[in-house]
Amino acid sequence: MATELAALAGGAVAYLLVLIAIAELTERGTIPKTVARHPLVFALSMGVYATSWTLYGSVGFADRRGLDFLAIYLGPVLACLLIPLVWLPLSRLTRSLQLASLADVLAYRFQSQALAIVVTLFMVVGSLPYFSLQIRAITEAAAFLAPGVPKGLVAGLFCAVVLVFTVLFGTRHHGIREPRPGLVVAIAFESVVKLVAILTVGAVAYFGVLGGPGGVQQWLAAHPEALSELTGPVNEAPWVAFMILSSSAAFLLPRQFHMAFAERPSERALVHATWLFPLLLLLLNLGIVPILWAGRQLAPGLEPDLYVLAVARAYPGMSAVAFIGGFSAASAMVIVSSTALAGMLLNHLVTPFWRPAGNVYRRLTMARRLLVAGLIVAGGLTYAVLSPTGGLVQLGLVSFVAVAQMVPAMVGVLFWSRATRTGVLAGLVVGIIIWLAVLVLPALGQPYFLEGLLSLAAQVDPSWNDRWVASLVATMLANGSTFALVSLISRATPAEEEAAATCGRDLYARSPFSHVSSVAALRTQVAGVLGEQVAQSEVEQALRELDLPGEGLQAGELHTLAEHLERNLSGLVGPLPARAVLRGAPKMQSARSVLAEQVRLLESQLEGARLSGTAARIDVARRYLRQVLQDLPAAVCVLDSAQHVVLWNQRLVQITGLDSDRCSGEALVDLPAPWGAFLRRVAVADGPSPVEHELMHEGRGVVVQVDRRHLDAWDDSEGVVLVLEDLTERRALESRVAHQNRLASIGQLAAGVAHEIGNPLTGIVMLASNLRREDVDEDVSERLGLMISEAQRIQNIVSNLVDFSHGGAQQDGVTVDLQATSLNQVILEAGKLLDLSQRHRGVLCNVELDAAFQIMGDRQRLIQVFLNLLSNACDASQPGQEVRVRARALAGDEVQVQVIDEGEGISPEALTKLFDPFYTTKPVSEGTGLGLAVVFSIVRAHGGQIEAKSVVGQGTTMQVNLPLAPEGVGP
Amino acid sequence: MAGRAEGHRVDRSGEIGHGHWQTSLTLGTVRPVSNPREPERAADLVLLGFVTGVLVLATPLRGLWASPESPWWLPFAVWLAVIVVAALSARAWMRHGD
């Protein structure tokens, strides 16, 4: 016995060392990480579904219920067919929210610590029979191969091996946030070992014991009842019950959930598992029927669960293969299950009530290891307590029915947003009570409830008179109906509704969680609960993962950081404690206030995202619409309910001079004057819309029309859209047109008046001329001359008005009487008239005439020209400044006269319109806008040119070119 | 709101191999634009595979392959056929799924 014990112990330790070596090599990178992420390795790791139940128990199950044993594997095949539609969304959800177990998912979805505790405890209790199944399979196998070996010793040895490996690799990392490639590859290796073992033993049975295809035909001919025993149960009710139980167990068993979702396989690996995992299960079951028949032939009367070992023992060396295969299957199950359950216990029964001091990571890891040890010990105790009758499969099915109780809750997670925590809890409690009564109590020798249930089931339908059918129907009916009814009559909390939206594939669903004031505040907040070390480490990790700087974050970035941090902490301490850590912040604000930042961040995330399919097409439409908004000719400003800017388009940038990036996300009150206060006033106004407003911007008046619309119908955000139109130019133009219209009216009136004035004026001139010819003294004669001269000028002005009223300001409309005229006298006379009018207002006039220029011109008209130019120059000058008049000959028989002032100058824009009729830069009451237009017309009528040059702030030069009189022409 | 998006351009379409290239707004590079209904079609195929599996394995139709007159390995052959259906639906999903 000592030799056999030593061989067993040695084999177990050697196997453990091989597992450790594989896991360690993977963790170190010697075995590439790509191997761990390969779809085949993932499918093999999912093979943890096949335990010692498959290796040993399936043969016993087949002996009792024929091909019903296949239903345990065909259920997962059906479940795998739904991987793209059910597993994949669940995988994305768990990955996005760092949810590592079924309890995490339900706790998050229904925001209930109580539910998480119930689920965790139930999963632990429901898994313990499974643990005991593994221990029992190994101990019985050891006892069969080495009779006399104490079963307790074997059980202890097995527990020690799996405990060592689990502690080393199942709890190595902090929390369950980081994938454990070592664990994945080791479990995949264990699948290969058990696959090789069962295929080898199956081949031995088929070709060795039964004699190949011909031998099998002979054996079947000798045992004609074998095929009917095999196929008969398939057409009975339990087949469907087993299919339902196993299809839910395929991804809800703690170990399955852990490998499928917590170890973060790639989506590609998950989709390939649709067929790779069923193929693995097929290969694992291929040898069961031959082993059954070979076992019956070799060892009739032996417990069928041991047929695998009995067949193997018939060939040298095969016993070890069969035992190692069983050991591998059992240890993989215990390792992964205890890892998953320890995480659930830690997150939902430990961290909500225990705040570790000191090195939190180390203490959490230590707690996880203790929990793993406790679970394995509890499995051993269950093995000791539970009745050994009924075969290995019975214990496994008890666990399967327990796991099936989670199906209604998962429907609530994935498909039914109306489900409430009260409904889930009520349904689960009812299901658990029935499960305990009809499946657990009989295993403890109390079969009363089960017998009553079977009697009731037989009355409903005789085919339901089966332990598994009746228990499945009873628990699921009670659980599901209670869940649905209570959900319908109870109300979900806001937190549940938000979680339901997130679980409903809307991973960007808004959260009541909002931003904190700074990274430092966030760090302090985490430190207050989890300690300085964790706060420092977690905040830095979150910043690194989001590629954000450590300081100077905007509100939306802080919001994103806090959300990411919450998800990371969820992987460390569970979703609800993580939520409690981060949402207790007193500085949290309404999520609505960061809508702008969320939109901006979402857009920046989408900018860098690689989208495909429908998402890519929607993104193209989004970009197109955003560009339309950006390029609208109207200025658009969108505000959220807290008056933070969500959109600030390009036209608005042009009007306000404020950059879009500068304004987005800012509160209106923080925007520079006058826009912030103005837009805020407009946004909250109750009056009619649109409304025109005039405000001062950069020293000039701006007229804007604002139209306002509320976004009440969108997502309850109560935002506001403001559409602005800059009317400044239009209003100025309208003002000028109105002014010119007025002037035109006055012009017409003046022309009429001029016509009326003309006749009496002619009379005055004639009378004065007659009087002058009479014998009057010289003084009177001179005065009469002046009177006549001024009266003639009045006639000319009146004539101009008439010209404008008839022919506009074109030179064709001005009639000039060209005679040889002294330019110097014209200029001096204009200066004299300016003197008389007192319009120079202290401005010095300096006339520099190079020579006496003779020109061909209309004396009166030219005086009018220079009087006008001098008057304008004096008007533009300040007292004490100088106005210079210079005349010089030009090549080509021309003379150029410049009237230069040192006044304020004329803007380039005004310069282009200077000679337009009715255009004036003077106040409306001071100028008619006709003077320079008349000047222009007169100069052009003389065949000359006039030009204005000006520099704002330095002065203006009016330059008049006139043709000189031909030689010999004189006054 | 982020700044103006850059790199938008309108690309001409062509037909290359099995991918249909359409005139569309794209970002920087030209990519084949798949049929908008393809993800839905892939989901339909997955559902069709599931329904086929349920029909064959879980309804009374299972009596066709689970009878004493059938060879003992027939259930495994049916299982293999379902795996082929699963592989086809996985392939459809990998190509066109969301």
Side-chain angles (χ1 to χ4, degrees), chain B residues 75-86:
Chain B
F76 296 96
V78 171
W79 188 342
L80 192 61
V82 173
I83 289 172
V84 171
V85 170

Side-chain angles (χ1 to χ4, degrees), chain A residues 826-857:
Chain A
V826 167
I827 293 171
L828 290 171
E829 192 155 346
K832 197 184 290 179
L833 289 172
L834 181 72
D835 236 6
L836 286 171
S837 69
Q838 299 291 315
R839 288 187 63 179
H840 50 81
R841 299 178 301 141
V843 177
L844 305 172
C845 284
N846 182 4
V847 182
E848 301 169 10
L849 303 172
D850 287 353
F853 296 108
Q854 290 291 325
I855 57 172
M856 294 300 292

Side-chain angles (χ1 to χ4, degrees), chain A residues 77-78 81 84 88 92 227 231 234-236 239 268 274 282 285 603 611 617 620 623 626 631 646-647 664, chain B residues 1 4-5 8 25 27 31 34 36 46 50 53-54 57 62-63 66-68 75-76 79 83 86 93-94 98:
Chain A
V77 171
L78 291 184
L81 283 167
L88 208 52
R92 287 171 181 165
L227 276 178
T231 56
V234 173
N235 297 303
E236 296 170 4
W239 172 270
R268 175 170 161 265
T274 304
L282 170 66
N285 283 279
E603 292 216 323
L611 302 174
R617 288 187 289 280
V620 169
R623 288 167 192 269
R626 190 188 63 179
D631 294 344
V646 179
L647 176 77
S664 293
Chain B
M1 183 68 68
R4 296 171 60 139
H8 287 227
L25 281 172
L27 300 172
R31 290 192 299 178
S34 56
V46 170
F50 175 71
V54 171
L57 301 176
R62 63 187 185 273
S67 72
F76 296 96
W79 188 342
I83 289 172
W93 188 265
M94 291 295 286
D98 194 2

Side-chain angles (χ1 to χ4, degrees), chain A residues 21 225 273 327 331 345 450 452 510 652 676 712 777 846:
Chain A
E225 77 290 351
F327 190 92
S331 60
L345 284 167
L450 178 61
R510 287 184 308 150
L652 196 52
D712 294 341
D777 59 33
N846 182 4

